[in-house]
């Protein structure tokens, strides 16, 4: 059968994640990989989860854990998250929380609920590859979200109308963004909120890395800034997407959305149609572990990742040739490297893997218009200090070779 003949038009916009594909190729033990933005499994609170699962199955919660549940999510976890959000400056109740199967599922739901084919999604340039993958199926047009630019709201709206739709949302990761590691300052966040009010847009705040700050002063989430201006979450257009993947466990796939309650109700309908509810057992375990020691776990992770970030920045300073630049993130898991043109990240990767046994993610995949060929993303989260030093030394050797005159 020729499936192509009956596939929906949206299927043509679904592309394999370059990162997912890279991970398949990097199982070779002699390759040092800075490609996957994954937490270090040695930092997972495995013993805490072992205790949590044992306790769940040793008492009356066992039947609840194995049964169907409500689509909104496990109520004790939603109450814990509401208290956590309040501590971040977002007073809310469980009715403002939806549990999702990771924040990636939240992005898919938000693309589905907001985008009609031809509508415009404003995204940072570059932006998180997984967000582009989630939104692509709903056939948007992408436009640049530049928080501190002088571009007028009318210019954005006119370009969206000319493309046959309207601008629907602004998507950004304000803290330690994937892929650049950069943070949007308070003035930039306020500017995005003002733009959203003018254009009547939703704001999707991807906060996957917010807890992983290593230095600098914490900036309130955009949802907190908007509540401070408008008085209540029920008056806000910001949709906060959180995740336990970078702090407790990515494998359990537990994330959440925090937003105005009527939008949460609409997202619940999508959840009911998609998978009924996220795994109750996983939610219960995450709740027990988070309630017992979330801050201690985050403190431990911060210390480890801070040391690795520092080691990578120092190694880049030692080994990179002139003309190469990089970001210096205050948190998160990524450093963004820019190499002199006309060097291309994809071509460099092929040489890096075959000749130098080191890997990274070429930057072009993070740009909706496939520009940025002379950029690449490095992740420091899953490698120890000595491995980071050796991997960056290998990358330095590669770039010194590539920059030699022909």
């Amino acid at each position: 059968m020729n499936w192509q003949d009956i596939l929906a038009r949206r299927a043509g916009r679904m592309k394999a994640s370059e990162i997912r594909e890279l991970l398949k190729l990097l199982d070779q033990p002699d390759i040092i990989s800075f490609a996957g933005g994954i937490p270090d499994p040695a930092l997972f609170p495995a013993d805490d989860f072992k205790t949590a699962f044992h306790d769940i199955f040793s008492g009356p919660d066992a039947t609840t854990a194995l049964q169907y549940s409500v689509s909104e999510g496990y109520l004790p976890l939603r109450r814990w998250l509401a208290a956590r959000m309040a501590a971040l400056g977002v007073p809310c109740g469980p009715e403002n929380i939806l549990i999702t199967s990771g924040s990636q599922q939240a992005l898919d739901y938000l693309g589905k609920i907001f985008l009609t084919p031809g509508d415009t999604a404003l995204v940072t340039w570059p932006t998180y590859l997984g967000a582009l993958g989630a939104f692509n199926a709903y056939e948007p047009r992408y436009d640049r979200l530049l928080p501190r630019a002088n571009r007028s709201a009318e210019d954005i709206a006119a370009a969206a109308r000319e493309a046959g739709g309207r601008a629907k949302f602004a998507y950004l990761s304000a803290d330690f963004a994937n892929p650049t590691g950069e943070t949007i300052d308070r003035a930039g966040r306020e500017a995005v909120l003002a733009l959203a009010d003018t254009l009547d847009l939703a704001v999707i705040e991807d906060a996957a890395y917010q807890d992983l700050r290593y230095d600098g002063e914490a900036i309130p989430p955009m949802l907190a800034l908007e509540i401070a201006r408008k008085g209540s979450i029920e008056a806000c257009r910001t949709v906060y997407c959180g995740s336990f993947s970078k702090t407790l466990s990515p494998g359990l796939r537990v994330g959440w959305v925090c937003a105005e309650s009527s939008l949460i109700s609409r997202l619940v309908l999508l959840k009911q149609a998609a998978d009924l509810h996220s795994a109750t057992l996983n939610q219960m375990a995450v709740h027990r572990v988070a309630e017992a020691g979330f801050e201690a776990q985050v403190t431990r992770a911060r210390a480890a990742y801070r040391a690795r970030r520092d080691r990578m920045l120092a190694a880049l300073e030692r080994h990179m040739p002139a003309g190469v630049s990089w970001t210096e993130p205050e948190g998160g898991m990524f450093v963004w490297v820019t190499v002199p043109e006309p060097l291309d990240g994809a071509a460099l990767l092929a040489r890096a893997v075959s000749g130098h046994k080191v890997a990274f993610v070429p930057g072009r995949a993070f740009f909706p218009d496939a520009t940025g060929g002379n950029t690449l993303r490095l992740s420091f989260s899953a490698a120890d200090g000595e491995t980071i030093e050796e991997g960056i030394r290998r990358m330095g050797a590669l770039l010194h070779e590539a920059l030699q005159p022909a």
Side-chain angles (χ1 to χ4, degrees):
M1 179 173 179
N2 185 356
W3 294 105
Q4 189 64 35
D5 289 345
I6 63 170
L7 292 177
R9 184 178 64 182
R10 73 180 69 91
R13 296 186 58 132
M14 298 178 184
K15 300 177 181 178
S17 163
E18 289 199 18
I19 300 170
R20 297 282 108 191
E21 295 302 308
L22 269 174
L23 293 178
K24 297 177 185 177
L25 301 175
L26 300 178
D27 290 336
Q28 304 166 50
D30 58 340
I31 290 181
I32 294 175
S33 176
F34 300 131
I38 58 177
D40 184 350
L43 295 172
F44 295 159
D47 288 340
D48 295 338
F49 275 113
K50 185 184 298 184
T51 299
F53 282 112
H54 177 270
D55 290 347
I56 289 167
F57 285 117
S58 299
D61 285 340
T63 53
T64 302
L66 296 174
Q67 185 56 279
Y68 286 117
S69 187
V70 297
S71 298
E72 290 84 348
Y74 182 55
L75 182 57
L77 178 57
R78 288 162 54 220
R79 286 175 173 155
W80 185 90
L81 284 167
R84 173 106 186 132
M85 294 303 301
L88 294 173
V90 181
C92 64
E95 69 277 8
N96 299 111
I97 305 286
L98 168 67
I99 304 298
T100 56
S101 296
S103 60
Q104 187 67 27
Q105 185 179 64
L107 297 179
D108 176 63
Y109 288 174
L110 292 166
K112 182 181 291 186
I113 206 166
F114 286 130
L115 293 171
T116 298
D119 280 339
T120 291
L122 299 176
V123 299
T124 49
W125 223 265
T127 199
Y128 169 47
L129 179 58
L132 297 178
F135 302 150
N136 276 343
Y138 307 108
E139 303 178 64
R141 165 189 172 268
Y142 293 108
D143 203 346
R144 293 175 185 247
L145 177 64
L146 303 169
R148 303 298 295 274
N150 293 322
R151 185 181 178 194
S152 71
E154 179 50 40
D155 181 57
I156 294 171
R161 287 194 300 269
E162 186 176 344
R166 60 156 293 184
K168 289 293 187 66
F169 60 73
Y171 166 82
L172 71 165
S173 183
D175 293 290
F176 332 122
N178 181 357
T180 65
E182 295 176 332
T183 294
I184 297 173
D185 63 15
R186 184 171 185 141
R189 298 177 197 216
E190 295 280 11
V192 171
L193 291 172
L195 177 69
D197 281 343
T198 301
L199 291 175
D200 195 23
L201 305 175
V203 176
I204 300 175
E205 179 178 14
D206 188 340
Y209 302 93
Q210 183 177 6
D211 289 307
L212 298 180
R213 174 174 283 280
Y214 314 134
D215 46 44
E217 185 176 347
I219 306 170
M222 295 186 66
L223 182 52
L225 294 175
E226 190 177 13
I227 289 173
R229 291 168 51 191
K230 297 179 178 177
S232 167
I233 193 173
E234 298 302 326
C236 290
R237 62 179 68 248
T238 301
V239 184
Y240 180 103
C241 300
S243 174
F244 290 104
S245 291
K246 306 304 185 292
T247 52
L248 297 186
S249 164
L252 294 179
R253 310 305 302 133
V254 180
W256 73 94
V257 178
C258 180
E260 183 267 338
S261 58
S262 70
L263 178 64
I264 292 294
S265 296
R266 291 180 179 274
L267 293 172
V268 167
L269 299 181
L270 296 184
K271 183 76 173 169
Q272 290 172 353
D275 64 357
L276 303 183
H277 62 85
S278 296
T280 308
L281 173 60
N282 292 356
Q283 294 181 66
M284 294 174 73
V286 165
H287 172 248
R288 286 171 179 258
V289 172
E291 190 172 53
F294 183 78
E295 290 300 335
Q297 170 61 21
V298 168
T299 298
R300 179 169 168 250
R302 284 185 192 132
Y305 295 143
R306 178 189 294 113
R308 295 172 194 185
R309 178 208 57 180
D310 293 347
R311 188 67 178 263
M312 178 170 280
L313 293 177
L316 287 165
E317 192 68 41
R318 277 191 292 274
H319 298 297
M320 287 297 110
V324 177
S325 61
W326 53 89
T327 58
E328 297 185 3
E330 295 181 330
M333 295 182 170
F334 305 107
V335 173
W336 184 246
V337 177
T338 303
V339 299
E341 293 181 314
L343 294 184
D344 178 80
L348 285 172
L349 177 63
R351 293 174 61 178
V353 171
S354 62
H356 295 268
K357 302 300 181 182
V358 63
F360 50 82
V361 180
R364 194 186 301 276
F366 298 95
F367 291 85
D369 61 353
T371 56
N374 66 318
T375 59
L376 47 103
R377 191 194 76 176
L378 305 179
S379 174
F380 51 80
S381 55
D384 61 33
E386 292 303 316
T387 302
I388 289 171
E389 180 72 27
E390 174 60 17
I392 297 300
R393 187 198 65 76
R394 294 181 189 182
M395 286 192 61
L398 166 72
L399 288 168
H400 276 286
E401 291 174 9
L403 289 169
Q404 290 297 315

